[in-house]
Amino acid sequence: MYLADYHMHSKYSFDGSEELDTICQTAIRRGLSEIAITDHMDIYTGLPYDEQMNFEVPGGEQYHMDVSGLYGGLVQMKEKYAGQLKVRIGAELGQPQVNPEAAALFIRDYGDVLDFVIGSIHNMEKDLDVYYYDFTKIDVAKMYDHYVDWLLKLSEMGDFDVMGHLTYPLRYMFERNQLRLDLRPYEEKFRQLFKNLTEKGRGIELNVSGYYKAMQDAMPPMSILKLYRECGGEIITIGSDAHKAEYIGFYQKEAHEMLETVGFRYLTVFEHRKPEFIKL
Ligand SMILES: [Zn+2]
Ligand SMILES: [Zn+2]
């Protein structure tokens, strides 16, 4: 079984702490063949992207992303672990559609080193991360419908390879307020989303971080994963979304089984933004 964890964060992300070297060594120890380190590049409304690397994390702490340190370090890791582990240089680009100029500049400036880009939605109106919502005070069904509209918008534009954690709000809804959501009413929108993605040669990820959190479900869950496959979806990566070394490679074997169960025959990996298909 070819193990490739395609979503994780290092100390260069505002919410990460691990050294690049620790990540690579952990991956090798766990028998992974390949990893993509995908530190956050969240795009905010109305700011040039290089100013977006300095911001105040809610709670008051000032954060600075050392982008050249990150990508320089990753190039070193590629060389250091060649023959033992394929290290892919990734990015998790957050809501690029709010500021397409900034997103395009980022891709232009780092396009020659990037192997893989996840397009994610974390923040919606007023650049507020869904993480900070008070789900007890809002209509969660409406909120998620709105989130899917943001995904649709992202699928129509943006330069990325796979769409990240399609059911991101559900993780926090359950974690904080034990709220679950019936996803059947969103089926038509998901069909449109998958049509947009497959037409542009893009895919989705199977994000398994929910299994080491209270949610105990995948993002997206099996029903939506199955729908993606039925809609002709082929490009699929598996990601632990690890922010700590202990979760690197988490749930890989189970994720392979999930993909096989809904009819996938190949796992996708990327080099220089080009997909390669590996038999499950
Ligand atoms: Zn994310
Ligand atoms: Zn992430």
Side-chain angles (χ1 to χ4, degrees):
M1 189 181 287
Y2 191 89
L3 306 180
D5 188 344
Y6 257 59
H7 189 155
M8 66 188 68
H9 299 276
S10 77
K11 67 169 188 183
Y12 290 96
S13 280
F14 70 93
D15 52 359
S17 58
E18 301 293 355
E19 296 291 340
L20 298 178
D21 219 44
T22 310
I23 292 175
C24 295
Q25 285 171 21
T26 307
I28 292 168
R29 231 182 15 253
R30 302 223 165 119
L32 299 181
S33 297
E34 190 164 339
I35 57 167
I37 298 179
T38 53
D39 280 316
H40 288 292
M41 183 32 132
D42 270 308
I43 300 292
Y44 299 97
T45 321
L47 277 179
Y49 90 83
D50 47 350
E51 283 176 32
Q52 311 204 9
M53 293 168 191
N54 298 288
F55 60 88
E56 197 173 296
V57 180
E61 204 185 318
Q62 196 65 30
Y63 163 75
H64 167 70
M65 187 178 189
D66 176 8
V67 185
S68 55
L70 167 63
Y71 294 125
L74 283 172
V75 169
Q76 279 178 9
M77 292 300 112
K78 271 190 182 215
E79 286 165 15
K80 184 171 176 185
Y81 293 103
Q84 291 182 78
L85 177 72
K86 285 184 182 168
V87 179
R88 301 301 186 210
I89 302 183
E92 184 176 9
L93 196 59
Q95 54 290 329
Q97 74 261 39
V98 299
N99 190 340
E101 298 78 19
L105 273 178
F106 169 70
I107 296 288
R108 190 200 67 185
D109 289 352
Y110 296 98
D112 54 343
V113 295
L114 288 171
D115 288 305
F116 174 63
V117 178
I118 301 174
S120 290
I121 302 292
H122 302 118
N123 305 354
M124 295 198 285
E125 274 73 22
K126 300 189 183 124
D127 293 333
L128 184 68
D129 194 314
V130 174
Y131 176 85
Y132 297 101
Y133 285 24
D134 181 349
F135 300 108
T136 61
K137 296 210 169 91
I138 55 174
D139 178 338
V140 290
K142 240 190 212 163
M143 178 276 299
Y144 187 64
D145 188 60
H146 190 55
Y147 184 86
V148 178
D149 287 341
W150 276 65
L151 294 178
L152 278 165
K153 189 93 184 141
L154 172 61
S155 73
E156 286 159 7
M157 57 81 61
D159 188 356
F160 63 91
D161 302 309
V162 304
M163 191 171 265
H165 47 59
L166 302 185
T167 47
Y168 177 73
L170 273 61
R171 186 165 83 185
Y172 301 116
M173 277 166 46
F174 187 79
E175 215 163 274
R176 281 203 239 115
N177 307 108
Q178 288 71 54
L179 294 167
R180 297 238 185 233
L181 196 60
D182 178 4
L183 293 176
R184 282 171 300 184
Y186 308 95
E187 189 179 316
E188 274 321 300
K189 284 193 179 181
F190 274 117
R191 280 184 192 279
Q192 185 60 48
L193 180 70
F194 297 148
K195 185 169 178 282
N196 294 352
L197 289 170
T198 49
E199 275 175 3
K200 287 194 158 71
R202 295 175 179 147
I204 65 167
E205 70 161 353
L206 174 58
N207 185 307
V208 295
S209 63
Y211 288 107
Y212 57 80
K213 292 177 183 274
M215 175 189 208
Q216 293 298 303
D217 204 353
M219 297 187 291
M222 283 292 260
S223 59
I224 304 299
L225 194 63
K226 188 162 175 275
L227 185 65
Y228 171 61
R229 186 70 194 117
E230 283 168 12
C231 292
E234 280 180 336
I235 294 179
I236 185 94
T237 57
I238 298 171
S240 66
D241 210 344
H243 288 68
K244 291 184 188 143
E246 61 184 298
Y247 298 121
I248 293 166
F250 181 85
Y251 222 70
Q252 278 273 331
K253 290 181 181 128
E254 294 88 342
H256 274 245
E257 279 166 26
M258 288 170 74
L259 293 184
E260 281 183 273
T261 304
V262 297
F264 286 93
R265 290 189 299 135
Y266 299 93
L267 175 71
T268 317
V269 291
F270 285 82
E271 185 175 14
H272 301 309
R273 311 279 318 269
K274 294 230 162 27
E276 280 171 46
F277 297 91
I278 292 178
K279 215 162 180 358
L280 281 167

